[in-house]
Amino acid sequence: MAGMKTPFLAAGACATLAVALHLPAQAPSLTIDVNHPTGRVSPTLYGLMTEEINHSYDGGLYAELVSDRAIGHGFGALVHWPMVARGNSAAEVSVDETAGPSAALPRSLKIAVTAATDAAPAGVENDGYWGIAVRPHTTYSGSFWAKSDSGDVPVTISLENDSTGIAAAKTTVAGLSGEWKEFTFTLTTGDAALSANNHLILTIPRPATVCFNLISLFPPTYLGRVHGNRADIMELLAAMHPKFLRLPGGNYLEGDHIATRFDWKKTIGPWVDRPTHQSPWAYRSSDGMGLLEYLEWCEDLKIEPVLAVYAGYSLAQEHVDPGPALEPYVEDALDEIEYVSGGADTRWGSERAKDGHPAPFPLHFIEIGNEDEFDRSGSYDGRFAQFYHAIKDRYPQLQLIATTPVKSVTPDVLDEHFYMPAEESFAQSGHYDNHPRTGPKIFVGEWATREGDPTPNLEAALADAAWMAGLERNSDLIVMASYAPLFTNVNPGAMQWAPDLIGYNALSSYGSPSYWAQVMFAANLGAEIVPAKLTGTATRIYTCVTRDRARRKLYIKLVNATSHPQPLTILLEGVGKVAPRAELTTLSGKTPNATNSIANPHAVIPVKHTIAVSGTQFVETFAPYSVNVLVLSYQSEQPIRLIEQSPD
Ligand code: AHR
């Protein structure tokens, strides 16, 4: 997490000078020079950053309902797999260290049933991720790997309510033998009540010893993708109008140790060939969200991956020296790029085709490492250069992102991270206003105002919007920006980092006020940056303006971070006519602490109004504690001035 750099004088701060010098207060106004755009808005400005943190995938977006489905090293002593013995039945549940379905998963869940009948079976249960959501009239798809020392013993699988013990759905699987084999099943609920307090039970009706692994259950997923993502969370993401997904981290890319980095080749192919791995965020990842699943997530949202490749540094100060030792990691990155973007006739493109996706994915940006300023060995310059040359040689069209400044080569883009308290986000709204335009482009790959827990409150949303206004005003320089972290499971013990943009439990999800501010900004991006000057006595007002010349639309974003309504005279220069009605979307609340939660997901959400606009000069009053997007339709009074290299 990079800290902030040089402070600057914010637009809001300029407007307070009148007070400081005891000059007469002047009604604030915003003068917009519509016909003299200063640059192009980056069309890829707003996107998403992701990693396995706070149960982002396991217990989050990845729709798997069973926790610790892979019985592997490091998953703990079967905490999620307690024994079930009905009536007079008896069984022992243990980890068999000697028998697993594959070399990647050498262990299994062994159930030794010593007494059981049809009426009183025995087995195991799984509590899911803080419960398992059951919905009425829904079909769940399940599977497991199993082998039996006792011939073809039937396995009954049911979804049962924790408090009533009533099964919402039940089925039986037969055909087990002494050989490991995968079995599939479905569970279909009837009029079951909607609830999150359910568990999955597997039982056996007679004495037998059965080993299991990869016990899995999926609800219907977004776009019906097999083993795909939770529909409610994907819908929240789609509404953000993202343009890219930075994956797979963050610290999760690096791992605490080189051995626990995101080793992409171990995350592809059938689950049975994925060994799972320990993440730096204190729990083990199933790697169900492997490289291909990340790419399919992008495909489902119609966005592009920004692929971060492991660059030879892990968080416990382990690094690989540039030179021959680093070469295998460089080769691994080249293979990864080929897996993502190569034709099905290439070595790794053909692996992707084998994994079920013959078509290559679009790819334009590769990030080399993550936050390598923390590598105290100082090896990043050399490591970056080695990756840079190897990737550019083979893929000259790719834009390469450095995670901290380097001297030996010039990166195309530099990734900068900002985690700030609210006052700093406000103060830094103009951070990039005077940034030189001669160096690499900027990717603000992680940013957030850290107020609110588990998800940001309205104060954070105001500060985030002030910060975003600065990003958008400078989006000739800033090619992409993404908030982090994106997700948290809100259950006690699930979260490692607060705040997080989107919260959820087993049953439902919600967007924080900051989420809604991003939705508003990204839905009204515009194509060109328009100069706007705030004058008069107004503190804590932050703004940026863009236009879409082809559609004759002007997008005015304005944050009123004060506790009072703020009247503002808006002056449109270079405009002949303005449509008499405009659309004003406002996100506001009574106090800066106002927030959303699972219990109250829509306490702070944007509201759209139509407002009357009297001409090219009009007064509009902005609500206390509000983020606003005002969309005006205009006609130019002069021939429209194009900015250089305008695409249209
Ligand atoms: O977003 C949480 C963490 O903050 C990321 O993993 C890391 O890149 C940064 O330090």
Side-chain angles (χ1 to χ4, degrees):
M1 170 178 52
M4 289 297 314
K5 291 142 199 164
T6 34
F8 84 112
L9 198 59
C14 286
T16 63
L17 284 180
V19 175
L21 299 173
H22 305 293
L23 298 175
Q26 200 196 335
S29 59
L30 182 68
T31 306
I32 302 171
D33 190 359
V34 180
N35 216 18
H36 292 90
T38 54
R40 287 182 58 192
V41 173
S42 168
T44 54
L45 183 60
Y46 296 116
L48 308 171
M49 184 272 169
T50 184
E51 65 178 318
E52 181 58 291
I53 182 174
N54 309 319
H55 289 271
S56 286
Y57 315 141
D58 293 346
L61 180 71
Y62 184 60
E64 175 63 83
L65 296 171
V66 178
S67 52
D68 290 1
R69 75 175 179 200
I71 311 300
H73 171 71
F75 273 108
L78 298 178
V79 266
H80 294 288
W81 292 107
M83 189 261 286
V84 171
R86 298 268 148 92
N88 290 329
S89 64
E92 204 174 287
V93 175
S94 60
V95 177
D96 189 325
E97 298 277 344
T98 62
S102 64
L105 298 177
R107 300 173 180 80
S108 61
L109 175 70
K110 182 165 149 186
I111 306 176
V113 179
T114 47
T117 61
D118 283 339
V124 282
E125 66 178 45
N126 186 278
D127 56 351
Y129 292 99
W130 295 271
I132 293 181
V134 161
R135 293 167 208 279
H137 305 288
T138 302
T139 297
Y140 297 79
S141 314
S143 57
F144 58 76
W145 282 74
K147 81 171 179 144
S148 153
D149 288 355
S150 322
D152 183 6
V153 276
V155 179
T156 296
I157 304 124
S158 60
L159 259 179
E160 289 187 13
N161 188 278
D162 298 343
S163 14
T164 64
I166 294 172
K170 192 181 247 192
T171 192
T172 296
V173 169
L176 272 65
S177 71
E179 298 301 316
W180 279 106
K181 204 176 138 200
E182 188 179 19
F183 298 85
T184 58
F185 60 90
T186 56
L187 289 173
T188 301
T189 58
D191 284 332
L194 179 71
S195 70
N197 56 327
N198 303 281
H199 50 275
L200 185 74
I201 301 201
L202 278 80
T203 56
I204 295 161
R206 61 178 158 86
T209 298
V210 181
C211 289
F212 290 95
N213 210 323
L214 294 171
I215 300 167
S216 164
L217 190 70
F218 273 76
T221 58
Y222 188 67
L223 303 181
R225 197 179 269 291
V226 174
H227 301 150
N229 293 333
R230 254 175 76 161
D232 58 332
I233 302 177
M234 285 295 274
E235 276 156 19
L236 284 170
L237 296 181
M240 290 177 74
H241 303 274
K243 293 294 185 300
F244 65 88
L245 178 68
R246 175 179 175 233
L247 64 93
N251 291 357
Y252 185 60
L253 168 74
E254 305 164 274
D256 280 336
H257 305 282
I258 295 173
T260 55
R261 69 190 184 279
F262 183 82
D263 195 351
W264 72 271
K265 284 178 184 159
K266 294 182 179 161
T267 73
I268 56 171
W271 297 343
V272 77
D273 295 330
R274 301 185 194 187
T276 75
H277 80 284
Q278 181 63 34
S279 94
W281 295 108
Y283 58 98
R284 199 170 177 87
S285 170
S286 74
D287 287 327
M289 181 66 77
L291 180 59
L292 184 59
E293 287 79 10
Y294 277 114
L295 299 169
E296 289 174 337
W297 168 5
C298 294
E299 186 168 77
D300 287 351
L301 291 178
K302 301 186 177 56
I303 63 178
E304 284 200 14
V306 170
L307 179 69
V309 296
Y310 179 76
Y313 166 70
S314 296
L315 298 160
Q317 291 302 319
E318 292 177 13
H319 80 277
V320 183
D321 279 326
L326 192 63
E327 220 28 51
Y329 297 90
V330 174
E331 284 305 317
D332 219 45
L334 292 171
D335 292 348
E336 188 173 6
I337 294 168
E338 191 173 276
Y339 184 90
V340 175
S341 62
D345 54 347
T346 61
R347 161 79 183 87
W348 284 99
S350 74
E351 285 295 326
R352 185 196 60 239
K354 224 164 72 192
D355 293 340
H357 203 289
F361 292 90
L363 185 65
H364 291 95
F365 291 95
I366 303 292
E367 178 151 13
I368 297 168
N370 177 59
E371 295 190 341
D372 287 271
E373 66 274 23
F374 291 113
D375 170 13
R376 292 201 289 269
S377 76
S379 66
Y380 187 59
D381 215 311
R383 290 189 287 110
F384 180 83
Q386 199 169 331
F387 277 87
Y388 180 95
H389 292 306
I391 297 172
K392 283 279 185 191
D393 274 359
R394 202 173 300 173
Y395 301 101
Q397 77 284 8
L398 289 178
Q399 296 280 293
L400 303 186
I401 306 171
T403 72
T404 192
V406 285
K407 293 204 180 77
S408 45
V409 275
T410 306
D412 298 303
V413 182
L414 188 61
D415 181 2
E416 299 193 336
H417 295 177
F418 301 85
Y419 290 101
M420 302 169 283
E423 281 317 311
E424 201 170 346
S425 300
F426 287 126
Q428 295 292 334
S429 170
H431 181 77
Y432 287 106
D433 286 348
N434 300 310
H435 193 286
R437 265 48 179 177
T438 46
K441 294 281 188 191
I442 303 290
F443 173 26
V444 184
E446 293 180 30
W447 67 268
T449 299
R450 298 194 72 181
E451 310 276 347
D453 186 345
T455 49
N457 57 18
L458 180 59
E459 171 81 348
L462 296 167
D464 282 346
W467 168 253
M468 278 192 290
L471 299 183
E472 205 165 299
R473 216 167 39 232
N474 291 287
S475 63
D476 58 315
L477 169 70
I478 299 164
V479 278
M480 298 179 289
S482 42
Y483 185 101
L486 182 58
F487 294 139
T488 189
N489 186 310
V490 299
N491 279 292
M495 183 178 70
Q496 291 80 46
W497 179 294
D500 307 289
L501 201 62
I502 291 172
Y504 43 79
N505 61 13
L507 209 51
S508 65
S509 52
Y510 69 95
S512 61
S514 289
Y515 163 87
W516 287 111
Q518 289 190 43
V519 168
M520 288 165 65
F521 271 55
N524 297 285
L525 184 58
E528 293 165 314
I529 304 158
V530 172
K533 203 167 158 212
L534 194 59
T535 50
T537 312
T539 54
R540 297 170 75 81
I541 301 293
Y542 304 86
T543 186
C544 72
V545 183
T546 60
R547 75 174 194 186
D548 184 329
R549 186 178 67 84
R551 299 176 61 216
R552 301 283 194 273
K553 294 274 187 210
L554 198 62
Y555 303 95
I556 303 172
K557 282 141 190 163
L558 191 135
V559 181
N560 175 12
T562 72
S563 57
H564 54 81
Q566 179 62 64
L568 191 71
T569 303
I570 297 178
L571 282 149
L572 304 177
E573 290 180 344
V575 162
K577 261 193 179 164
V578 187
R581 298 198 176 284
E583 190 184 85
L584 175 63
T585 306
T586 300
L587 178 79
S588 65
K590 287 211 171 70
T591 74
N593 292 331
T595 199
N596 297 335
S597 63
I598 290 284
N600 198 356
H602 297 139
V604 185
I605 56 167
V607 177
K608 211 179 255 188
H609 322 263
T610 300
I611 61 161
V613 175
S614 52
T616 55
Q617 176 169 342
F618 60 97
V619 178
E620 180 59 32
T621 299
F622 295 94
Y625 303 127
S626 66
V627 177
N628 304 273
V629 178
L630 177 58
V631 184
L632 296 160
S633 300
Y634 69 94
Q635 276 179 14
S636 192
E637 80 184 355
Q638 304 150 20
I640 295 277
R641 182 179 171 273
L642 302 186
I643 59 164
E644 271 171 39
Q645 298 160 344
S646 183
D648 45 5

